[in-house]
Amino acid sequence: MLSALAVRSQEAPKESGEDKVKSLEILYISRELDLTPEEAQKFWPVYKQYSHEVNELISERRKKSKDLKTKPRTDEMANEALDRELGFEKRMLDIKTKYKGEFLKVLPPKKVSGLYRAEREFRSMMIRQLKERRENRAINNPKGNKHRP
């Protein structure tokens, strides 16, 4: 199923890896939600806003995490990191709660529930595919050579 989506993305003009994944996610969500044209017209602008807020939070989280890796780990810093991580999780929940209401303005509850499920399933598929690719590379290139045969 995802491989068919991947083929479609390969036919499109050159995109960054992130753009390809986003395109695949949109295709997957579209198929899973089975939106009517009217629903799609109202849904996608709201979803775009939602995605933007989620991605901003994820970027901020990564940046803070990267900054912390360069500093020595003390108990005080570990405690601050725990508080910061819980803060990020709360903010993510706040975003999802806010957009649940926004999505319910344009979609029936079944489809909103399906959206969150579809997002989780898509992430799981992507993680599984990345893991399989890494394992295949390790099998096909056991010495860690960067050159392809």
Side-chain angles (χ1 to χ4, degrees):
M1 159 187 52
L2 191 58
S3 58
L5 296 175
V7 169
R8 281 191 202 165
S9 74
Q10 289 172 355
E11 294 170 0
K14 290 284 183 188
E15 294 178 293
S16 72
E18 190 175 317
D19 289 340
K20 285 180 185 179
V21 170
K22 195 68 185 159
S23 295
L24 290 171
E25 181 181 28
I26 288 168
L27 284 170
Y28 186 81
I29 289 171
S30 294
R31 195 197 74 208
E32 290 297 307
L33 295 185
D34 192 27
L35 300 173
T36 66
E38 296 80 22
E39 288 172 335
Q41 185 178 12
K42 294 175 184 175
F43 169 75
W44 288 113
V46 177
Y47 186 78
K48 185 177 178 181
Q49 290 175 296
Y50 161 76
S51 292
H52 179 73
E53 286 189 38
V54 165
N55 290 333
E56 278 186 342
L57 182 60
I58 290 169
S59 292
E60 181 183 336
R61 180 189 218 174
R62 282 186 186 138
K63 184 181 181 312
K64 298 263 186 195
S65 177
K66 190 176 182 181
D67 292 345
L68 282 176
K69 286 182 181 179
T70 62
K71 298 178 182 176
R73 216 46 167 163
T74 65
D75 283 344
E76 184 179 339
M77 286 186 63
N79 194 38
E80 287 176 19
L82 286 169
D83 288 344
R84 189 171 17 264
E85 182 59 28
L86 289 173
F88 281 121
E89 288 183 22
K90 182 187 180 313
R91 288 171 57 199
M92 183 64 78
L93 182 59
D94 290 345
I95 291 169
K96 288 185 177 200
T97 301
K98 169 186 165 185
Y99 279 94
K100 172 192 170 211
E102 295 301 313
F103 291 136
L104 285 170
K105 291 177 185 176
V106 298
L107 295 177
K110 259 184 165 173
K111 289 189 178 183
V112 174
S113 177
L115 166 65
Y116 292 121
R117 179 189 41 76
E119 283 186 315
R120 283 190 309 274
E121 288 173 355
F122 181 78
R123 271 193 305 275
S124 294
M125 278 193 313
M126 293 305 295
I127 290 167
R128 190 172 49 252
Q129 280 197 352
L130 286 171
K131 184 179 175 186
E132 287 171 6
R133 285 182 184 175
R134 285 187 188 128
E135 289 171 356
N136 287 338
R137 279 191 207 127
I139 290 168
N140 294 330
N141 197 2
K143 294 182 181 177
N145 296 333
K146 293 185 180 184
H147 302 324
R148 292 190 167 187

